[in-house]
Amino acid sequence: MRRDYIESMKAAGFGEFLTACESLKNCKYVIAESKITALLKSIADNKQLYALFGRVLYGFNYNVTFSECVNNGTFSLPNEPKKAIALVFRILLDIDGEKMSLKNFLEAYFYSVSINESYARFCLEVISPFESYCRALFAHAEKIAPIDDASERPGDDGADKKRDMLKNDALNCISTLVEIAESVITGVIDRAEFTACLNGLSRAVESDDYENIISAFLGVKYAVAYFFKSAKTVLDIYKKLEFDIKHLAD
């Protein structure tokens, strides 16, 4: 039964992700970071999978959720599967991006007699549930924030005007962020990377492509945090853009 289920998930295009999860759970600590990188790559390389994670992450408050999961030196996942998926994904991103040390994380919350035993606890208590929740997510992917196709709804001039306003405002925000990036980000490659994220979101908004709007916005979200951190002017524009995207994707 388990074999059949795994094969069906692989047939649906999630095989590399499932294999990467298994590799991460079964490896030793010394190569864990490379396995985390491979796992995240399996998500980034799969458009459908990336969009699913984008939907789960939308509106997720990482810092608050992380704090809620820490209690007296122990760490436990949220009971809500989608919140648990989002939290583990962000933790893995922070480890891969060197914002969080895997060794320090293990020693702080999964301390044991050896680093390999600490890592084994981490895999059992965090990665295994994450994989199980993701399997369920894949199996019910069509129920997660379904695409709202305007062509299949009765005409509603008020709703159409509101949507047009949101689109125009979102495109203006994107255009402003592009201008700021061109004048502030000095590195040619960094500037091109950030602009490419914004241009991808702009195309998705213009074409009413729900899945690409969510996945492209996720890329912009992390790019803004990486390149501008707490710059108030950029954050104010980002908040407006976030509002527009959220309501466009409803």
Side-chain angles (χ1 to χ4, degrees):
M1 184 71 174
R2 176 179 169 81
R3 181 186 296 272
D4 291 342
Y5 186 74
I6 291 174
E7 291 304 318
S8 69
M9 292 295 99
K10 288 182 177 180
F14 303 120
E16 288 188 9
F17 172 80
L18 297 177
T19 299
C21 281
E22 291 295 328
S23 295
L24 181 60
K25 291 191 302 178
N26 295 325
C27 75
K28 297 295 185 182
Y29 164 77
V30 68
I31 60 171
E33 290 182 356
S34 67
K35 296 299 183 180
I36 288 172
T37 299
L39 175 59
L40 294 174
K41 185 176 185 300
S42 74
I43 296 171
D45 288 347
N46 186 314
K47 183 177 179 181
Q48 183 182 6
L49 186 55
Y50 190 73
L52 285 177
F53 273 86
R55 295 179 190 183
V56 171
L57 283 160
Y58 193 84
F60 173 69
N61 192 319
Y62 175 45
N63 292 328
V64 169
T65 304
F66 189 99
S67 297
E68 292 173 347
C69 293
V70 174
N71 184 29
N72 294 326
T74 63
F75 179 90
S76 58
L77 290 179
N79 292 325
E80 184 184 341
K82 285 199 291 185
K83 187 175 284 189
I85 290 172
L87 178 61
V88 176
F89 180 71
R90 283 297 313 275
I91 288 172
L92 295 179
L93 276 178
D94 276 3
I95 292 171
D96 187 58
E98 298 182 351
K99 294 181 180 179
M100 177 190 294
S101 162
L102 175 59
K103 184 174 184 291
N104 291 346
F105 181 67
L106 295 177
E107 290 179 343
Y109 304 117
F110 300 92
Y111 184 78
S112 191
V113 294
S114 72
I115 194 66
N116 276 321
E117 289 195 19
S118 296
Y119 179 69
R121 280 190 58 202
F122 166 71
C123 288
L124 179 64
E125 298 174 27
V126 175
I127 301 302
S128 289
F130 169 73
E131 181 188 12
S132 297
Y133 291 147
C134 285
R135 290 180 187 276
L137 178 75
F138 303 158
H140 300 91
E142 72 282 358
K143 297 180 182 179
I144 302 171
I147 297 172
D148 185 13
D149 189 347
S151 66
E152 296 181 3
R153 297 195 310 268
D156 185 339
D157 291 341
D160 288 343
K161 288 180 180 178
K162 180 179 178 182
R163 190 169 184 82
D164 287 342
M165 289 177 63
L166 289 168
K167 285 179 65 173
N168 289 334
D169 191 56
L171 292 171
N172 286 334
C173 289
I174 293 169
S175 178
T176 302
L177 288 174
V178 169
E179 292 176 3
I180 292 173
E182 290 177 346
S183 62
V184 173
I185 300 178
T186 55
V188 175
I189 295 177
D190 287 343
R191 186 167 62 248
E193 180 183 346
F194 186 58
T195 302
C197 286
L198 291 167
N199 288 339
L201 179 58
S202 179
R203 288 191 297 270
V205 169
E206 289 175 341
S207 61
D208 291 317
D209 186 339
Y210 172 81
E211 289 204 12
N212 276 336
I213 286 175
I214 294 300
S215 57
F217 178 74
L218 180 61
V220 170
K221 177 179 180 178
Y222 291 117
V224 166
Y226 179 79
F227 289 114
F228 294 99
K229 296 181 172 59
S230 58
K232 187 178 185 306
T233 301
V234 175
L235 290 180
D236 286 345
I237 298 169
Y238 168 79
K239 287 297 182 182
K240 287 182 63 180
L241 177 60
E242 183 179 42
F243 176 87
D244 295 332
I245 295 301
K246 179 179 179 180
H247 289 84
L248 280 172
D250 283 343

